Amino acid sequence: MTESIIDARAVRLALGKGSARVDILKGIDLAIRAGETVALLGPSGSGKSSLMAVLSGLERADGGQIDIAGLDFGRLDEDALAAARRGRIGIILQAFHLLPTMTALENVAVPLELAGEADAFARAAAELEAVGLGHRLDHYPSQLSGGEQQRVAIARATAARPAILFADEPTGNLDGATGETIMDLLFDRQRETGATLLVITHDPALAARCARIVEMRDGAIISDRAAA
Ligand SMILES: Nc1ncnc2c1ncn2[C@@H]1O[C@H](COP(=O)(O)OP(=O)(O)OP(=O)(O)O)[C@@H](O)[C@H]1O
Ligand SMILES: [Mg+2]
C-alpha cells in the first residue's frame, strides 16, 4: 500500500554510450504525498531535470521502482505510459515549448482534445482567461512576451486538472518581476486544482514557497526537509 502519489525507490539512470556513459541518478528514494508542494534544488548538472524526466515518464529509469498515482511506470509500455501521463501529469519547462504554428488557444485546446475532453476549445479559452490571457487567444507564441508564453504553458499544463504538476525552472527565462507574477500564478493554480507540485528552481524565494525542500548533488538526494 502506498499513500504517496509519487513513490520512487532506488531509481538509477545512466545516459550516453560506451566510454561517454555517465551515471546520472545514483539511487534516488523520494516519496511525495498528494497535494504536497516540493522544491527541488541543487547545482547545475546534479540531475534535477533527469529526475523529473523519469518521474514524469519522459525518460525510462535503468533501475529501481517508480510508482506514479499507483501505476508502476517501469511496467508500462510506451503507449500505456503516454496514456498514463495524459491528464495525470502537467509539465512546465523553462523554455515554454509551445507549438509555434498553433495559436495560444490551440496550444491549450489540442492536448485537451487528445485527452478526450469534450468542449476542448471552450475549456481552453476559460483556462487562458484564468491566467489573464483572455485577450490573446489567437496570438501565436512568437507574438507573445516570455511571461505571456509561460502563462500559456501554465494554462496548458493545468487545463486537464492533472494530479501532478512538474515545473523545471519555470521562471528561469523571465525577469524578476515577471517571474514573480508567474510564480504567483503557478501557486494559485496549484491551490485551486489541489495538484501535487514538484518545482525545480535556483531561486530561494520560489523554494521557500514550497512546503518541502529536496536538495540534490551529484545524482543523489543530500537533504530533504520541511521549508522554514
Ligand atoms: N543525454 C545525455 N547523455 C549523457 N549525459 C547527459 C545527458 N543528459 C544529461 N546528461 C548529464 O547528466 C547530468 C545531469 O543533468 P541534468 O540536466 O539532470 O542536471 P540539472 O540538475 O537539471 O542541471 P541544470 O541546473 O543545469 O539544469 C549532467 O552532468 C549532464 O551533463
Ligand atoms: Mg535542469
Side-chain angles (χ1 to χ4, degrees):
M1 261 313 287
T2 167
E3 54 170 326
S4 302
I5 193 162
I6 294 173
D7 193 1
R9 270 162 288 149
V11 168
R12 310 192 68 86
L13 178 71
L15 289 175
K17 297 243 180 309
S19 61
R21 193 156 175 89
V22 235
D23 287 321
I24 290 168
L25 300 178
K26 303 174 180 172
I28 298 283
D29 293 303
L30 181 65
I32 298 176
R33 290 190 317 279
E36 232 181 332
T37 53
V38 181
L40 186 55
L41 306 183
S44 181
S46 56
K48 305 179 298 295
S49 297
S50 304
L51 178 58
M52 192 167 279
V54 295
L55 295 180
S56 59
L58 293 173
E59 189 89 57
R60 282 205 186 261
D62 294 304
Q65 174 88 21
I66 297 177
D67 291 301
I68 302 294
L71 294 170
D72 180 348
F73 267 24
R75 282 178 186 270
L76 302 180
D77 65 23
E78 293 307 318
D79 288 347
L81 199 54
R85 291 218 317 269
R86 221 172 280 139
R88 273 197 190 84
I89 292 176
I91 302 176
I92 299 156
L93 299 167
Q94 180 173 2
F96 323 136
H97 287 280
L98 302 176
L99 292 169
T101 57
M102 288 189 190
T103 63
L105 183 65
E106 289 163 345
N107 263 284
V108 179
V110 168
L112 279 177
E113 272 193 324
L114 287 174
E117 285 287 336
D119 302 325
F121 279 80
R123 276 282 303 280
E127 294 295 325
L128 284 163
E129 193 82 49
V131 299
L133 276 188
H135 59 308
R136 291 285 185 271
L137 301 184
D138 297 325
H139 282 231
Y140 288 89
S142 63
Q143 301 170 320
L144 297 170
S145 72
E148 288 171 340
Q149 290 181 61
Q150 197 61 310
R151 285 169 190 269
V152 177
I154 290 173
R156 179 181 60 184
T158 56
R161 297 290 178 270
I164 305 172
L165 277 176
F166 290 110
D168 192 345
E169 298 188 50
T171 61
N173 271 341
L174 304 172
D175 66 66
T178 309
E180 200 135 320
T181 317
I182 291 297
M183 255 158 59
D184 289 344
L185 185 61
L186 183 60
F187 280 92
D188 283 350
R189 301 305 285 156
Q190 184 275 331
R191 223 172 299 116
E192 283 161 24
T193 62
T196 308
L197 174 67
L198 180 64
V199 57
I200 295 175
T201 182
H202 290 284
D203 178 355
L206 176 47
R209 296 179 66 158
C210 293
R212 180 174 163 196
I213 298 180
V214 172
E215 215 168 322
M216 287 184 76
R217 187 149 308 168
D218 196 22
I221 290 175
I222 57 159
S223 104
D224 187 340
R225 60 186 191 274

